[in-house]
Each structure stands twice: as C-alpha cells, then as structure tokens.
C-alpha cells in the first residue's frame, strides 16, 4: 500500500497553516468589551491572553488619538478628549510572525464631569476683588505650613468670587497664627467678610504687648503648682482671646457702616490657631465659630483631636457667623481652647468645601482611620493620582492647589485647606 505524502515532512506545513488560521480566527471572533474611560482620568485595560497562548498583539492602531499607550498587553494613560474610538489590534501567530492580521474593538471615553462646568473669571473691576485661587507655603514655628484656597465650581460656573479666605502671619516672640474663614453664600459681600475676618484677627495679635501678656499667663499654667493661679491664668488668656474675636466683629461692623452695608452682608465663619513652641511643648490657642474644623493629629495617627466647637446639627444644618451678636454670650467661653502637646504630626484647618466631601459627618473628624484615608488621598490615592509631597516639598503649594480641584458629585463649594506639618 502506498502511503500519502502528507504523512511525511511534505505534509506537515499544510497542517500547521490550518492550525494557525484556526487560532487567528478564534482570536478575531472573541468579543472584547473595553471598560469605559473618562477624559482627564487615569485609565488602564489589560488584554487577557491566557486563552490564546499562540497569539501576540503587535500594536494597536489609532490609539495615539486617545492619548493612551500600549505596552505588554496593557492600555494605559490619561485620555484627553471624550469620544468613541475605533481601535485596530494588529496581531500575529507565534508560528507565523511575518503575517499580521487586524481585529477591531471600540473604546468609549466619557466626558469628564469637570468639563461640563464653566470657569468664568471673576470681575477684576468689582468692589473688594480677590483672586479666584491662591496658595501659600512657608515656615510656621519650627514646622512648615502649606495652604490652598480655591473657588468652587458653583461660583466659577457663574463668574462669582471665591468667598473663602485665610491669613498666615509670623508674630513677635516666635508666635505664629493661621486663620481661615468661609464667607456665607447668602451674603452679598461675603468675599470681603472672610478676608477682613482673617486679616483683623491676625492683626489683633501682632503687638508684643498682647503676646507678652498671654505668654506670662501660659508660664503660670504650665510652670506653677498653684491651682488657683492656674485657673486665673486660663481665664485671663480666654479673656484676651475673647477680645480678639470682639475686635473682628467690631471691624466688620465699622466696614459695613463705611460702605453702606449691613453687617449681615459680611457674614463669615472664623477659625484660628495661635501657636508657640515652649520648652515644655507646643501651646495652641484656638477658636471656632461656624462649621470649619481645626484638627490636631499626633504622631503615627495615634490620636486625632478636634480643637474647636463645630456649629453643625444643633442648628438644623445652619451655621453661626462671627458677624452674629448672639454668639457673644456666656457660652462663647466654650469656643476657646488651650492645648499643649509635646509634639504632633499635623495641624489641619479646613472649610466645609473640604470637610463635606472628605469626611461627610462631624463624628469622623476624630476618627483616626478617616484621617489615615484623608492623608492617603493627599498622597495620591485618588482618581486623579494627584499627590501632595510633604517630603520633597518644593512644589507643595502648587500640588495642594491642584489637589483641591478633586471631583465630588454634589460638592462644588469653595475649598480652603491649611496644613502645618
């Protein structure tokens, strides 16, 4: 019997061609749905080639239009423009590398929600003009400070002003102060109310006389064993702090009168921290009216402490303002805090534009896990991969300002964040 030739060497190649063709057709037929991307956000998609061990992807045509790149069976990058893209996957069989084939897939890049919001500059010719965004970095006692204040999307969309504000000052005798204010959205000159609030409270503490009196009382509290003298010293410090807040209120009243405004037109919250490092530790004198927190974070996030009274819940969602006379009653004493710690990692002040989307509720402000999550976010664990580098911090002010542009559905208020580190 004569044996057919294809059982020997001359019959081997036709068999391989059939196998190659079959493998390539199976690869073509498989239905791949690429995950949707979002313009401006990092995207990645890996092709699972386990079922196709003999197929290799050589290139993906039209991918450059998306702003993405392809390497090691993985598409990644940040797409720039929303669109439906038709991508051609060029592939070959490992036993036939010279002959490439094409498989078409689709990639939908959705529009970034940020792009739906306009960013109309505020009117430079308007009364009490202020910049739409500002940042600051510098030293603060023996530590460093970074602050960013950015106009919210709701204001930017309508060309309105940033109503948040802050002020940082080095004071005599190694004292430092940081103040933050959130102007009320209902107040027509809230932008000036917040600026004047932070400026005036810092100015009150700018004289050596006031600071020397406070420092004298602090030394009694922490170096005297006389309980009565210690209590009297605390009362004297709180009296001075009260005078500073009253000075702010009077400054706002005077400004309103001079500009034919009601003081309600300048409604603004206020938080501040007046700080000095002594031989026995850092003394932090703090105050708050409104819904903006001051948080002290100990080393290794072992403890987080809220250093001010938060006006939330008790008033059915309404806040209090430094412009309101009713805060100047006997309960105002509870708004002042005298804190002394040997060391700390961070002191953080923020407006509700940060607090609302990142902490959601007041009870999370003293939850260490919530703060670990927050600082992980600052470290780049977020959708935008935006990192604030507290170690190599030459560009930290710019980084923090960029970070405050994060997307949070329904949260488009002004955002101000100050961190002492």
């Amino acid at each position: 019997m004569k044996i057919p030739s294809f059982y020997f060497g001359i019959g081997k190649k036709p068999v391989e061609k059939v196998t190659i063709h079959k493998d390539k057709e199976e690869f073509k037929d498989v239905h791949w749905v690429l995950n949707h991307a979002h313009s401006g956000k990092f995207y990645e998609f890996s092709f699972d080639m386990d079922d196709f061990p003999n197929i290799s992807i050589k290139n993906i045509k039209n991918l450059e239009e998306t702003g993405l790149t392809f390497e090691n069976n993985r598409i990644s990058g940040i797409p720039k423009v929303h669109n439906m893209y038709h991508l051609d996957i060029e592939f070959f069989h490992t036993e036939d590398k010279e002959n490439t084939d094409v498989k078409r897939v689709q990639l939908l890049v959705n529009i970034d929600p940020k792009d739906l919001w306009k960013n109309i500059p505020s009117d430079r010719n308007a009364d009490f003009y202020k910049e739409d965004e500002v940042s600051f970095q510098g030293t603060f006692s023996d530590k460093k400070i970074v602050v960013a204040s950015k106009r919210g999307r709701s204001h930017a969309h309508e060309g309105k002003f940033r109503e948040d504000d802050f002020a940082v000052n080095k004071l005599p005798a190694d004292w430092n102060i940081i103040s933050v204010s959130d102007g009320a959205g209902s107040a027509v000159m809230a932008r000036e109310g917040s600026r004047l609030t932070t400026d005036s409270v810092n100015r009150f503490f700018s004289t050596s006389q006031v600071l020397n009196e406070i420092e004298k009382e602090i030394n009694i509290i922490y170096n005297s064993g006389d309980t009565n003298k210690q209590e009297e010293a605390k009362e004297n410090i709180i009296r001075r702090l009260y005078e500073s807040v009253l000075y702010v209120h009077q400054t706002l009243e005077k400004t309103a009168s001079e500009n034919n405004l009601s003081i309600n037109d300048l409604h603004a919250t206020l938080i501040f921290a007046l700080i000095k490092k002594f031989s026995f530790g850092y003394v932090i004198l703090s105050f708050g009216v409104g819904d903006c927190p001051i948080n002290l974070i100990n080393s290794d996030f072992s403890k987080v402490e809220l250093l001010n009274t938060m006006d939330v819940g008790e008033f059915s969602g309404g806040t209090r303002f430094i412009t309101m006379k009713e805060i100047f009653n006997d309960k105002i004493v509870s708004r002042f805090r005298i804190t002394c710690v040997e060391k700390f990692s961070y002191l953080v002040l923020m407006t509700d534009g940060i607090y609302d989307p990142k902490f959601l509720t007041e009870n999370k402000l003293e939850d260490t896990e919530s703060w670990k999550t927050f600082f992980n976010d600052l470290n780049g664990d977020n959708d935008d991969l935006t990192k604030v580098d507290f170690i190599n911090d030459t560009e930290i002010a710019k980084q923090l300002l960029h970070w405050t542009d994060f997307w949070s559905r329904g949260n488009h208020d002004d955002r101000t964040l100050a961190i002492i580190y």
Side-chain angles (χ1 to χ4, degrees):
M1 178 178 177
K2 187 177 182 180
I3 301 174
S5 62
F6 63 78
Y7 275 86
F8 297 98
I10 56 172
K12 188 176 179 181
K13 287 188 178 180
V15 173
E16 285 184 348
K17 285 183 179 180
V18 170
T19 302
I20 290 171
H21 178 75
K22 178 176 177 292
D23 288 347
K24 292 173 74 171
E25 287 302 309
E26 286 179 352
F27 181 73
K28 273 187 178 183
D29 290 341
V30 69
H31 183 57
W32 259 329
V33 179
L34 274 60
N35 297 334
H36 292 177
H38 294 269
S39 61
K41 288 188 177 182
F42 180 77
Y43 174 85
E44 62 179 344
F45 180 87
S46 295
F47 293 97
D48 185 359
M49 300 298 290
D50 289 347
D51 292 337
F52 304 98
N54 298 319
I55 299 295
S56 290
I57 298 177
K58 179 181 180 181
N59 183 39
I60 300 182
K61 295 180 68 175
N62 307 326
L63 191 63
E64 63 277 4
E65 299 175 15
T66 69
L68 301 173
T69 58
F70 174 76
E71 187 176 5
N72 296 327
N73 292 332
R74 176 175 170 266
I75 293 174
S76 65
I78 300 177
K80 304 301 181 185
V81 182
H82 68 280
N83 202 348
M84 174 65 81
Y85 294 95
H86 301 284
L87 308 179
D88 289 332
I89 300 175
E90 294 183 317
F91 67 94
F92 59 84
H93 196 282
T94 54
E95 297 297 326
D96 187 22
K97 297 180 180 180
E98 301 302 319
N99 294 310
T100 59
D101 211 332
V102 174
K103 172 185 176 67
R104 172 159 286 195
V105 294
Q106 292 181 326
L107 173 64
L108 175 62
V109 178
N110 289 314
I111 190 169
D112 187 338
K114 294 178 185 178
D115 295 339
L116 298 174
W117 293 81
K118 298 176 183 177
N119 188 12
I120 303 172
S122 53
D123 184 3
R124 287 188 169 271
N125 297 316
D127 293 337
F128 307 121
Y129 170 80
K130 71 165 64 172
E131 295 289 341
D132 296 334
E133 59 182 41
V134 291
S135 60
F136 172 83
Q137 66 185 95
T139 58
F140 197 94
S141 185
D142 64 339
K143 291 181 173 288
K144 297 178 181 180
I145 186 171
V146 60
V147 193
S149 185
K150 187 179 185 68
R151 183 176 62 160
R153 289 189 179 85
S154 57
H155 287 160
H157 191 70
E158 299 178 21
K160 293 182 178 180
F161 286 90
R162 173 174 57 94
E163 292 171 348
D164 281 4
D165 223 314
F166 70 89
V168 182
N169 289 96
K170 292 182 178 180
L171 304 173
D174 296 325
W175 283 91
N176 290 263
I177 189 169
I178 166 69
S179 57
V180 172
S181 178
D182 180 1
S186 59
V188 295
M189 287 298 168
R191 61 185 182 273
E192 178 62 5
S194 61
R195 187 202 68 80
L196 203 56
T197 292
T198 55
D199 175 76
S200 57
V201 73
N202 287 22
R203 191 166 62 245
F204 178 88
F205 293 109
S206 63
T207 65
S208 297
Q209 179 184 351
V210 171
L211 294 172
N212 288 340
E213 290 176 7
I214 291 174
E215 193 161 330
K216 177 184 174 183
E217 305 298 344
I218 287 173
N219 282 313
I220 292 173
I221 294 172
Y222 295 104
N223 294 319
S224 170
D226 190 321
T227 305
N228 291 331
K229 286 185 177 180
Q230 289 174 337
E231 288 304 314
E232 183 181 354
K234 289 178 182 178
E235 290 177 4
N236 290 337
I237 290 176
I238 289 175
R239 187 177 297 112
R240 269 304 192 185
L241 298 179
Y242 174 86
E243 289 172 1
S244 73
V245 174
L246 185 60
Y247 174 74
V248 173
H249 182 87
Q250 291 170 343
T251 302
L252 291 166
E253 277 189 324
K254 184 173 181 289
T255 300
S257 175
E258 291 173 349
N259 291 275
N260 295 317
L261 297 169
S262 162
I263 192 171
N264 293 348
D265 294 331
L266 300 171
H267 270 339
T269 67
L270 170 63
I271 52 175
F272 72 77
L274 178 66
I275 301 173
K276 180 173 179 175
K277 185 180 182 183
F278 291 81
S279 60
F280 47 83
Y282 295 92
V283 172
I284 305 170
L285 308 179
S286 56
F287 167 83
V289 58
D291 55 358
C292 302
I294 308 171
N295 280 90
L296 181 67
I297 303 169
N298 284 4
S299 301
D300 301 321
F301 293 87
S302 58
K303 181 182 177 183
V304 179
E305 187 177 359
L306 183 65
L307 300 188
N308 65 303
T309 299
M310 292 276 288
D311 293 308
V312 295
E314 181 182 352
F315 302 101
S316 301
T319 189
R320 304 290 87 165
F321 301 108
I322 196 65
T323 42
M324 294 178 169
K325 285 186 177 180
E326 57 262 37
I327 71 165
F328 294 92
N329 53 34
D330 54 356
K331 292 183 179 180
I332 195 173
V333 174
S334 65
R335 295 182 180 275
F336 300 103
R337 304 282 176 89
I338 303 172
T339 306
C340 182
V341 290
E342 183 180 348
K343 58 183 179 179
F344 66 92
S345 291
Y346 303 99
L347 182 68
V348 183
L349 298 84
M350 67 180 77
T351 59
D352 60 353
I354 302 288
Y355 153 64
D356 283 342
K358 295 300 182 180
F359 290 89
L360 304 179
T361 60
E362 183 186 2
N363 61 2
K364 290 188 176 181
L365 288 171
E366 291 188 284
D367 175 56
T368 55
E369 291 304 315
S370 295
W371 279 97
K372 288 177 184 178
T373 299
F374 181 73
F375 272 90
N376 285 338
D377 189 326
L378 287 167
N379 194 42
D381 186 10
N382 54 66
D383 290 341
D384 299 322
L385 302 182
T386 304
K387 180 177 180 178
V388 181
D389 193 339
F390 291 94
I391 306 300
N392 303 308
D393 57 1
T394 55
E395 299 289 322
I396 193 169
K398 184 187 298 183
Q399 291 170 353
L400 186 61
L401 190 62
H402 182 47
W403 179 89
T404 60
D405 195 42
F406 61 83
W407 174 260
S408 177
R409 185 175 181 179
N411 293 293
H412 308 300
D413 201 0
D414 296 350
R415 295 168 177 172
T416 300
L417 177 61
I419 304 174
I420 297 165
Y421 62 101

